[in-house]
């Protein structure tokens, strides 16, 4: 899985809607419950898209290392 750039990440969130985008982007990285918590934090403005993108990159990098 190739990591998306931050601009791609923002665009996907804009086009798909944040809920669908988070499910799509974090599908193999997080459980449904964890994705729902991230979405709730975005809606409550307690976390911003940059923080979620950093979490996404950590997940991608961890998944790549596990596949080696």
């Amino acid at each position: 899985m190739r990591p998306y750039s931050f601009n791609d990440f923002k665009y996907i969130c804009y086009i798909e809607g944040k809920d669908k985008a988070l499910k799509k982007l974090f599908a193999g990285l997080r459980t449904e419950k964890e994705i729902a918590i991230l979405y709730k934090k975005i809606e409550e403005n307690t976390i911003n898209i940059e923080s979620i993108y950093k979490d996404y990159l950590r997940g991608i990098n961890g998944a790549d290392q596990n596949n080696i």
Side-chain angles (χ1 to χ4, degrees):
M1 174 185 226
R2 80 169 180 90
Y4 291 102
S5 70
F6 182 63
N7 286 334
D8 290 344
F9 191 85
K10 286 192 315 186
Y11 182 75
I12 292 169
C13 287
Y14 175 74
I15 295 298
E16 299 264 344
K18 291 177 187 169
D19 186 33
K20 290 180 185 176
L22 288 178
K23 287 180 183 176
K24 178 180 180 179
L25 293 167
F26 284 93
L29 305 173
R30 300 282 183 252
T31 64
E32 288 290 323
K33 187 175 182 178
E34 291 171 332
I35 293 170
I37 291 169
L38 281 176
Y39 182 69
K40 209 177 261 191
K41 287 181 180 179
I42 288 176
E43 290 298 309
E44 294 171 354
N45 290 324
T46 58
I47 191 169
N48 61 19
I49 196 92
E50 292 171 9
S51 299
I52 291 177
Y53 179 69
K54 289 177 186 175
D55 186 39
Y56 164 75
L57 287 179
R58 279 192 300 268
I60 289 292
N61 292 334
D64 288 345
Q65 290 173 359
N66 291 337
N67 291 334
I68 292 176

